[in-house]
Amino acid sequence: MIKLLAIGDVMGRPGRQALVKGLDRAREELNPDFVVMNGENVAGGFGITKKIFEELIGPVGIDCITTGNHWMDKKDIYEFRDHPKIVLPANMSNVDEPTRGLRLLETKGGVRVAVMNLIGKVFMKGDNSSPFDMAERMLDLVPSYCKVRVLDIHAEATSEKQALGQFLAGRVSAVYGTHSHVPTADERIFKEYTGFVTDLGMTGPYDSVIGIDATSAIRRMRTGDKKNFEPAKNDLNFYAMLFEINEQTGACHALHRLRFPIKDS
Ligand SMILES: [Fe+2]
Ligand SMILES: [Fe+2]
């Protein structure tokens, strides 16, 4: 059995602080074999820089970073988007390539892990192609010996994320949602195989509007003014899901929602 830790959207510098502290605790208490996180908001709330990417896969020890609609907000992503530890939403209109949304990696113990990333169509900007069809195309590329398969579906609509979880039931070990920055309490296992949750929730400042300073978010909604539209700082929390997966069959046997409030915030 391997333990795969999936961490939701990490929001800016406060999110990175919560990530480091929460990960220390998770490693101490749970000893995960593989850690995947969503990094689309990790640089000031919008995108990911090369410097932060290298820090995350280096000293912080993240095994793979998925992304979302903000993947291209920092332009240096074009220098490292082919790196084996970063995944883009394969069906997003400005990606549209199954190999960019799929990475074949392994745990320190040598267990193969396929990480996949898709984006929703419902209530999402852009003319993204079907995540269902792209999921099929990506699964065709995963070798049969790679049983542990995990998918980050980055989407707004709860219905679309659940539909994708049901669609992939029995074929993917873990399907979880990101993007809403709001954790859901509906974790379950489909067909005694696929561990699922509609949204992991954000790792970052919860005294906010989905991670953004509340005063600025309210002002923007009322007037359109984007002034100080940046990550909030207080009430840091680390949110993640721990999936226990049988590496012989790929079946998820248990999943545990983690919420670690970060002190000194
Ligand atoms: Fe996000
Ligand atoms: Fe997003």
Side-chain angles (χ1 to χ4, degrees):
M1 202 74 74
I2 68 151
K3 291 184 203 166
L4 185 144
L5 184 68
I7 304 165
D9 306 46
V10 175
M11 188 67 181
R13 184 186 295 271
R16 300 200 307 273
Q17 290 167 355
L19 172 72
V20 168
K21 290 188 178 177
L23 205 47
D24 277 352
R25 179 172 162 188
R27 287 196 171 115
E28 207 167 290
E29 294 179 9
L30 303 157
N31 194 25
D33 299 283
F34 193 89
V35 181
V36 57
M37 63 164 262
N38 188 297
E40 73 148 7
N41 307 113
V42 81
F46 303 93
I48 179 167
T49 62
K50 191 167 187 221
K51 185 165 176 269
I52 293 172
F53 173 67
E54 285 172 351
E55 189 180 310
L56 291 172
I57 63 164
V60 180
I62 303 293
D63 293 298
C64 190
I65 298 173
T66 56
T67 57
N69 51 304
H70 291 294
W71 74 265
M72 64 300 165
D73 287 1
K74 299 285 186 286
K75 296 306 167 201
D76 49 348
I77 181 82
Y78 291 99
E79 284 176 43
F80 62 94
R81 65 178 170 171
D82 293 324
H83 191 283
K85 292 192 174 186
I86 191 135
V87 201
L88 307 184
N91 63 316
M92 193 162 158
S93 55
N94 59 10
V95 178
D96 196 28
E97 171 54 56
T99 59
R100 287 203 197 282
L102 168 67
R103 292 291 181 261
L104 299 173
L105 298 159
E106 54 182 66
T107 67
K108 283 166 197 73
V111 174
R112 309 272 189 163
V113 180
V115 179
M116 294 173 278
N117 194 187
L118 289 167
I119 200 160
K121 276 178 78 73
V122 181
F123 307 138
M124 298 296 283
K125 278 186 192 156
D127 189 19
N128 304 324
S129 68
S130 162
F132 300 89
D133 294 347
M134 187 58 87
E136 296 278 22
R137 289 174 68 190
M138 288 198 292
L139 283 175
D140 284 345
L141 300 175
V142 179
S144 58
Y145 58 75
C146 181
K147 298 295 184 198
V148 179
R149 300 161 177 199
V150 49
L151 169 71
D152 175 346
I153 168 64
H154 193 82
E156 188 72 42
T158 51
S159 55
E160 189 176 27
K161 291 190 259 195
Q162 292 190 5
L164 204 68
Q166 293 279 14
F167 181 67
L168 297 172
R171 296 193 281 167
V172 174
S173 316
V175 177
Y176 58 84
T178 58
H179 178 69
S180 80
H181 293 204
V182 177
T184 59
D186 63 333
E187 65 270 26
R188 70 197 107 151
I189 299 175
F190 291 136
K191 289 191 177 169
E192 298 182 359
Y193 191 96
T194 300
F196 175 82
V197 65
T198 299
D199 206 292
L200 292 176
M202 165 186 75
T203 283
Y206 274 72
D207 181 8
S208 67
V209 173
I210 62 168
I212 295 288
D213 169 70
T215 305
S216 313
I218 294 164
R219 186 195 305 116
R220 184 178 172 184
M221 283 184 190
R222 297 188 72 186
T223 69
D225 178 359
K226 282 189 179 180
K227 201 172 88 182
N228 299 333
F229 200 72
E230 55 192 39
K233 293 185 173 65
N234 296 323
D235 191 16
L236 300 185
N237 283 269
F238 173 91
Y239 270 89
M241 189 69 68
L242 188 82
F243 296 89
E244 294 182 41
I245 299 167
N246 181 326
E247 67 267 36
Q248 308 293 337
T249 64
C252 176
H253 287 239
L255 67 170
H256 313 277
R257 183 156 31 97
L258 308 183
R259 179 203 164 200
F260 297 161
I262 305 299
K263 293 193 181 73
D264 308 317
S265 62

